[in-house]
Amino acid sequence: MLAGLIFATEDAGDRAGTLAATLPFGGMTLLEYQARLLIGAGAGHILVAVTRVTPALLGAVNRAAKRGVPVDIVRSAEEAAARAHPLAQFVVIADGLVTTDDVIDRMAHEGKDAILVTQEPAASLERIDARNCWAGVARMPAQRIKDIAAFPPDYDFQSTLLRAIVQAGAEQVMLSAAAVRAGHGVEREGAALASRSNAVLAALTERRTSWADRWVFTRIARWVLPKVVEKGVPGWLLMIGGAATGAGATALIASGFAWGVAVAIPGVAALATGAALSALRGEEKCALMQEALIGLIVGAVVGALGLMEMRADATLDGVILAMVTIAATAIAERSQAVIRRWWGSPAAYLLIVTPFAIADRASWGLAAIAIYAFVTLAAAVEARREKP
């Protein structure tokens, strides 16, 4: 059984009387974000170690518990030992730590004691030996909590537990440079935490790997996401806005206005932004739904362009090209091959066909994306084929 232990004991450096764990982060509190990471890694129970309970902390704990995993507040190692399942493996998250899913998932694997270390003091908490510092995440069995449960109450719970894990011969896992770039670090000030929030948001936009996403829609999402989070815009609003914009683009094309394809671009951008925001909040189903909506919108736009060309030319060429694009894309997406940067994607096809449609050469654009989709499908099949 995997469990989590989050420390929430220190006050914010720039807000007297406010716990750092209750500072806003990505449209939620830092504590909720940490709990979301643990739940995403498979934790079935979470303990929150505190020295005092504030209304903001209680609210954050209650909201975190709504994700379907019990979240209990403990005030000492003794109380934590009493609540911990004796066979549980714990992932420990330090007070004020900002990190990403990849880091927690890496540390959550079953095994012996392990601590995440770094040689960069800026991304760490305290030194554990002459070379390395603790980077704020550790893995341990429940026994480590019991080992320090009998210590006097004036001992620091977090620091003492770290020493117990180190003395047990914990494996030292080096923090990657990619994790640091993604925002990993300890922050207890609101302004600095907001900056790290933006770094994590930027890292989440990298989930989409094709060239169109990386160079267009990801850049839009990076610019928009911090503003969306700051204003508290709900993810469902982005999803509805993106879907409505895509439907409007399809309606314009169906009415004979080929340039309506350009209207779908901000809709796809809104859905890409919403998918990253949903991922931040741990709403993977919502994120996947928005990714699927991008494909549906582009498919509808391409299909409408094909029908428009059929009416204009009195031939089936446009419809056939649109059907080839849609079918090849659907099969390539289901191949589950590792996506290469140059491969086509619904977002890429939208960007390619748009200038042709605006120039009243939609048939040329449909031919271009049909060829691109077919080449991408061939590459995906080849990537999945067993090599001799």
Side-chain angles (χ1 to χ4, degrees):
M1 174 185 176
L2 185 68
L5 174 60
I6 300 172
F7 283 93
T9 57
E10 300 294 329
D11 282 351
D14 55 352
R15 302 186 188 181
T18 299
L19 291 171
T22 62
L23 290 172
F25 183 89
M28 63 190 90
T29 63
L30 179 58
L31 174 63
E32 291 172 76
Y33 175 71
Q34 293 170 333
R36 198 276 289 171
L37 293 178
L38 290 170
I39 293 169
H45 184 207
I46 296 175
L47 301 178
V48 180
V50 304
T51 53
R52 61 189 176 89
V53 177
T54 65
L57 179 71
L58 278 176
V61 168
N62 290 336
R63 289 190 296 272
K66 290 181 180 179
R67 296 182 180 272
V69 171
V71 181
D72 294 323
I73 295 174
V74 295
R75 292 171 175 80
S76 64
E78 184 178 8
E79 189 174 346
R83 290 182 177 270
H85 190 286
L87 300 180
Q89 284 282 333
F90 276 85
V91 175
V92 180
I93 296 183
D95 196 345
L97 180 72
V98 177
T99 188
T100 61
D101 296 270
D102 292 340
V103 173
I104 299 299
D105 290 345
R106 181 185 180 190
M107 295 295 293
H109 295 305
E110 294 290 334
K112 64 177 185 177
D113 297 54
I115 55 173
L116 190 68
V117 299
T118 179
Q119 296 180 357
E120 298 293 333
S124 65
L125 279 160
E126 56 182 287
R127 187 168 294 279
I128 59 174
D129 57 34
R131 295 182 57 193
N132 296 322
C133 303
W134 185 38
V137 185
R139 183 183 68 235
M140 63 170 192
Q143 182 60 43
R144 296 293 162 262
I145 302 177
K146 295 181 179 180
D147 291 343
I148 66 169
F151 277 48
D154 57 341
Y155 276 67
D156 182 78
F157 185 3
Q158 177 176 285
S159 183
T160 305
L161 181 61
L162 173 64
R163 298 303 162 188
I165 297 171
V166 172
Q167 290 174 9
E171 173 189 2
Q172 294 189 4
V173 179
M174 187 62 64
L175 178 68
S176 67
V180 176
R181 289 194 300 271
H184 183 102
V186 177
E187 291 293 353
R188 299 196 180 102
E189 294 189 2
L193 190 60
S195 176
R196 287 199 183 270
S197 174
N198 291 340
V200 172
L201 288 170
L204 286 172
T205 61
E206 296 293 343
R207 289 158 49 108
R208 303 171 58 81
T209 55
S210 76
W211 64 265
D213 295 310
R214 182 175 180 84
W215 298 113
V216 179
F217 294 106
T218 289
R219 292 176 182 270
I220 294 173
R222 283 185 176 183
W223 180 72
V224 172
L225 263 177
K227 296 175 175 59
V228 168
V229 170
E230 182 182 352
K231 300 296 184 182
V233 177
W236 60 263
L237 187 59
L238 289 170
M239 184 163 60
I240 291 176
T245 305
T250 304
L252 284 171
I253 298 169
S255 300
F257 301 103
W259 54 264
V261 66
V263 177
I265 293 178
V268 170
L271 289 169
T273 303
L277 182 62
S278 297
L280 173 70
R281 295 171 176 171
E283 301 164 352
E284 285 297 326
K285 289 184 179 179
C286 187
L288 292 174
M289 185 183 302
Q290 291 177 89
E291 297 280 358
L293 273 174
I294 292 175
L296 288 174
I297 287 173
V298 176
V301 166
V302 170
L305 279 174
L307 290 172
M308 189 188 74
E309 287 298 296
M310 181 185 72
R311 292 196 303 266
D313 300 338
T315 68
L316 293 175
D317 293 351
V319 172
I320 292 172
L321 290 171
M323 290 178 63
V324 168
T325 301
I326 294 170
T329 302
I331 297 171
E333 292 283 328
R334 287 191 57 82
S335 71
Q336 297 182 343
V338 178
I339 297 175
R340 306 299 180 188
R341 185 62 49 78
W342 65 268
W343 286 8
S345 67
Y349 303 144
L350 179 63
L351 292 177
I352 291 172
V353 81
T354 295
F356 289 100
I358 293 174
D360 200 24
R361 291 290 184 270
S363 59
W364 296 8
L366 289 171
I369 62 174
I371 294 171
Y372 192 7
F374 188 81
V375 171
T376 297
L377 173 59
V381 171
E382 182 65 21
R384 291 289 294 172
R385 189 173 65 85
E386 292 187 6
K387 300 297 187 295

